[in-house]
Amino acid sequence: MRPPGVKYGPVPVGLTSEQVARRNSDGLTNKTSQASSRSLWEIVRANVFTLFNAIVAGSFILLLFLGQWRDALFGFSAVGNAVIGVVQEYRAKKALDRLVVINTPRARVIRDGTVQEIAVEAVVRDDVLVLRAGDQVSADAVMLDGESLEIDESLLTGEADPMLKFAGETVLSGSSVLAGHGRAQATCVGADSFAGRLSAEAKQFSLVNSEIRNGLNRVLRWVAWALLPIMLIVVNGQMHAEGGWTAAIATGGWKTASVGAVASVIAMVPLGLVLMTSVAFAVSGVRLARQKVLIQELAAVEVLARVDVICLDKTGTLTEGAVRFDAVHLPGVPAGPGAGHQHGWRHSLGWFGADPNANATARCLTEEFLPDNTLLAVDAIPFSSERKWSAVTFSADTAAPGTWVLGAPEIVLARGPQSAAPEEATAVVLATAKELSSAGMRTLVLAHSAGTAAGLGAGTRLPSGVSPVVLLTFRETVRPDAADTLKFFRDQGVGVRIISGDDPHTVAAVAREVGIHVEAGYDARKLPTDPELLADVMEQQRVFGRVTPTQKKQMVQALQQRGHVVAMTGDGVNDALALKHADIGIAMNTAAAATKAVSRLVLLDGRFDRLPNVVAEGRQVIANIERVSMLYLSKTAYAVAISVVFGALVWEFPFLPRQLSVTDGLTIGIPAFFLALMVNKSRYRRGFLKRSLSFAVPAGLILTASVVAVNACAALVGGFTPQDVQGSSVITLSLIALWILGVVARPLTIACAGVVLAMCGVLVGLLTIPLPRDFFNLAVPPPTLLIITLIASGVGILAVDILGRIRARVNARAGSGVPQRKAPWALGH
């Protein structure tokens, strides 16, 4: 390795224009694919050309062909569903396509013997890169030469300390040049580079694992399988109700039969449920945006409410990513030669902190030690991560005469010609330094030498005659909201894992500061590669250090294999893969562009305490959509049951499509909109779909029985017109469905009661006001049929109310143990 301070050798010629052209034609460029897994056309096709949309579109066209445009109102709901689906997924695609780890707009290369500035995408393999302070490395490369070139790889590897690079060593694309300058030859470009590989995996398109969305998709699949056989039953029943297939075709009765068949089919499809779910997610996203929380995928709001393990990156998440001065420690060591001048140590520390070449750690000294402008350096050596020390010499007539060395204790105080302190005294200082380091604090020693700076400028060895003066400790600044936020998750029974690329001792110290009591961090270099063994370690340990980006992803997957719902927070590119594979990824405001792009949530102001509000929003969404789903699924249940019963009995279907559209709006659509957005603080419990169906299916069957009873009594009594029977069926359906609404909305607030009463008022208006009554072909039935209708509705309402009370009792018993579990690995256990 080339030692620091070595100057450049002869200027390399670099590639010629002909060599660059050849590499461009061979595809050896720095371009990366900007395409996510699905194009816009594929997104449109997936959301528009579905089985349900085909059924709805076919029914819509059929009704228009028959001249029944008033019965085709359901088409608007289908259009709304498709538009929302396309917009949501296209937004996700655009976010992924903007994923570019390399932010530098230009790169410097040597071509044809001259330094040229070119676009980052124009870099080709074997280009000679010219690196200067402030640059971001545009491709993986091997160092040719350099002078004090320090590289920050923290966003890529999680390693907090900068790395000094020498000839022959590798620099990674996406890392930043902190100091010095150098030249390197590109070895891997584009998708083959380190940043390119991270981007390629992170950009694989995926939707968040949403229990609500998965449950609704399952229901839709069930309905899709049932549609065809039920359609055949309904069509056959309708044709026979018109006098049989031959008579219906001959007399034109098939048109009426077709309208009835369309009504039954459309009633079975819960179109509004998907739309209302998207609206609830979108409104929550807007609410959180006002609190500086960006939701990049709507369903992410729900997922955080289900999380039972949260994995936290240390740097930039629990800490602010900056180091602060902690304290001065005086080990009581007798000084060596030059002790008379050691009173100037505070002045020397003020100089180290104010030095323009100071690193981030030394700059923290200005918080405690003010610089002395009269103190002029005779000679100085800047700090480097390879040497792990810096030094300065002041003249004898200053407040801090002699040479001062600031650096790692084990390096500065190593026994040798440069050491002047007694061996026992040095041992005490080193033991103290080790104890402080074990507590997770970054520890430096300030040492003094009475000698001059002769030969110091070479920078190859420490000055002679050094003796320790004071020990200094530094710690990372922990976010002030971190401890309270983690306490919130502890109270919710959520397990916490701190995963960092930093030293395990440092990570453990930060963990203790935020309330996680651990003796030491687990060194990830000892992690097993077997997934099962890794999962065992993840269940037992809570704090991990020296974790690589690939290991972070594997650790998340190991927890998921054990049935956990995992959240991952981070800010570096090294966190991107884990964020992508977690059930929900959360990026801080300081995160790299790639990390933000693959995250589901971004804390725009970096406030960790925003997460409890996100959890509250998620709970509200889950609880409200569960209530809304009961309404829609009860409709699907009674639509299927009515279709099957009336088709099997070859009775005329009791509703027109337009009548079902208006009853859907009164009993489900409009109330569901308000229910989906109301305040609801219910705790999350697994099994939302099972609970919804356990109420919706019996309620739908009760409503079906009431409608069948009304139609059967009307047929037995006789003398009623089809319009009278339809009016009775609509009243029965509406009254029982409104009671279902009231049961689902319990406990009734003033707002909920107002919505239910308003819908009852609208129903009365539809039956009594001529214009809407004629449009929807409604009529108040004759007194005899009206009495039958009210009796059947009353019995149905009583049965639904009993069902609702049983459901409430079962839920109360199931929820009495909330929180449902407090795992032994949860925070604070």
Side-chain angles (χ1 to χ4, degrees), residues 271-608:
L271 291 172
L273 180 55
V274 178
L275 178 61
M276 206 54 60
T277 301
S278 297
V279 169
F281 282 145
V283 171
S284 291
V286 171
R287 285 176 182 156
L288 290 171
R290 296 190 185 121
Q291 301 178 47
K292 303 297 183 183
V293 178
L294 174 63
I295 306 297
Q296 305 218 89
E297 187 179 340
L298 297 180
V301 181
E302 169 233 329
V303 177
L304 189 57
R306 296 193 290 111
V307 163
D308 62 1
V309 176
I310 183 168
C311 298
L312 305 168
D313 178 51
K314 175 183 68 69
T315 306
T317 302
L318 292 179
T319 69
E320 295 178 351
V323 177
R324 61 181 171 85
F325 174 74
D326 177 58
V328 174
H329 304 268
L330 302 169
V333 181
H341 298 296
Q342 290 184 359
H343 64 274
W345 63 269
R346 299 186 68 90
H347 295 277
S348 69
L349 289 176
W351 185 93
F352 278 116
D355 180 16
N357 296 317
N359 64 358
T361 302
R363 284 196 295 270
C364 297
L365 293 169
T366 56
E367 301 172 9
E368 182 73 15
F369 306 100
L370 296 177
D372 184 350
N373 295 328
T374 65
L375 204 60
L376 300 178
V378 175
D379 202 353
I381 297 179
F383 178 85
S384 81
S385 55
E386 181 70 17
R387 284 190 300 269
K388 297 193 181 299
W389 57 267
S390 58
V392 62
T393 297
F394 302 113
S395 60
D397 57 352
T398 61
T403 298
W404 301 86
V405 181
L406 181 66
E410 67 275 14
I411 302 297
V412 175
L413 301 181
R415 299 306 298 172
Q418 77 280 2
S419 179
E423 185 173 351
E424 298 81 4
T426 301
V428 171
V429 176
L430 289 175
T432 304
K434 184 177 181 181
E435 182 180 346
L436 293 170
S437 296
S438 298
M441 289 180 282
R442 189 170 298 179
T443 307
L444 300 180
V445 66
L446 178 68
H448 180 265
S449 171
T452 64
L456 192 61
T460 56
R461 61 181 181 272
L462 285 160
S464 59
V466 296
S467 57
V469 179
V470 294
L471 287 172
L472 308 168
T473 52
F474 304 81
R475 66 172 69 242
E476 290 190 76
T477 304
V478 175
R479 291 181 181 270
D481 51 9
D484 289 340
T485 304
L486 292 187
K487 182 179 183 298
F488 167 82
F489 283 112
R490 177 188 64 201
D491 294 341
Q492 304 302 311
V494 177
V496 173
R497 302 291 183 276
I498 298 181
I499 300 174
S500 175
D502 216 340
D503 182 86
H505 293 299
T506 305
V507 184
V510 172
R512 289 190 290 271
E513 195 167 344
V514 296
I516 302 178
H517 305 293
V518 291
E519 292 297 324
Y522 189 96
D523 193 329
R525 290 171 292 192
K526 302 176 183 177
L527 279 175
T529 56
D530 180 82
E532 283 300 318
L533 295 177
L534 176 60
D536 290 338
V537 174
M538 293 304 299
E539 294 281 9
Q540 298 162 5
Q541 302 292 329
R542 288 178 291 164
V543 178
F544 300 84
R546 297 300 182 206
V547 185
T548 66
T550 301
Q551 283 180 316
K552 286 188 178 185
K553 180 187 75 172
Q554 293 169 344
M555 294 162 87
V556 167
Q557 291 174 327
L559 288 168
Q560 290 171 327
Q561 288 172 3
R562 291 294 172 91
H564 296 296
V565 180
V566 182
M568 175 76 195
T569 70
D571 68 336
V573 176
N574 62 310
D575 301 318
L577 296 184
L579 288 166
K580 181 71 177 178
H581 286 84
D583 292 285
I584 180 169
I586 305 168
M588 310 304 287
N589 62 319
T590 55
T595 308
K596 289 180 179 177
V598 300
S599 299
R600 313 297 185 177
L601 278 78
V602 180
L603 305 181
L604 297 177
D605 58 358
R607 287 182 54 181
F608 199 40

Side-chain angles (χ1 to χ4, degrees), residues 662-676:
V662 72
T663 55
D664 284 355
L666 287 178
T667 63
I668 300 175
I670 297 173
F673 180 80
F674 291 99
L675 284 180

